[in-house]
Amino acid sequence: MAKEIELGLELTGEDALTFHRYNKKPYDTRDGRELIKEAVRLSKKASETIHL
């Protein structure tokens, strides 16, 4: 029988500190906001083409 795949994240050093700081005080960036706007636009476009 196959062994179940365990998902996880291991960070060390500066990566771990950056991740911890971000979780304590999340921030956004201009690129991140543009990415979300594009995702919303694509989602709306896709939902317009789907006829259920």
Side-chain angles (χ1 to χ4, degrees):
M1 181 175 224
K3 183 179 176 184
E4 183 178 333
I5 297 173
E6 295 181 23
L7 300 177
L9 175 65
E10 283 190 35
L11 298 173
T12 58
E14 188 62 31
D15 290 337
L17 291 172
T18 300
F19 184 78
H20 179 69
R21 284 187 210 115
Y22 178 81
N23 280 332
K24 285 180 74 173
K25 187 177 178 185
Y27 56 88
D28 64 344
T29 62
R30 179 176 294 143
D31 288 342
R33 288 189 300 274
E34 291 301 317
L35 184 62
I36 291 186
K37 287 177 186 176
E38 178 70 5
V40 169
R41 186 186 69 74
L42 291 173
S43 175
K44 287 180 180 177
K45 182 178 177 182
S47 67
E48 291 170 356
T49 61
I50 298 173
H51 303 285
L52 299 176

